[in-house]
Amino acid sequence: MAKLYTSKKLATPKMLPKKETISFLLNYSKALSIVKVGNMTFENIAN
């Protein structure tokens, strides 16, 4: 018979991002610009 996995799961630890990850994502979003021309979309990353 198949094993049922309906028992309570243990609490998962909180996963917090590193400061470097937050900084990278914020800088990337600041550098990204999206331009729509007609039915075309252009993505530009200005580093």
Side-chain angles (χ1 to χ4, degrees):
M1 183 174 252
K3 184 176 180 180
L4 299 177
Y5 294 97
T6 57
S7 63
K8 289 186 178 180
K9 294 183 179 182
L10 298 175
T12 57
K14 286 192 173 185
M15 297 174 59
L16 298 175
K18 295 180 184 177
K19 289 183 180 182
E20 294 84 17
T21 305
I22 300 290
S23 176
F24 172 79
L25 291 174
L26 287 174
N27 289 335
Y28 182 83
S29 66
K30 289 177 186 176
L32 179 66
S33 63
I34 300 174
V35 178
K36 293 182 181 180
V37 178
N39 61 353
M40 298 181 348
T41 304
F42 297 97
E43 298 176 359
N44 185 23
I45 300 175
N47 285 340

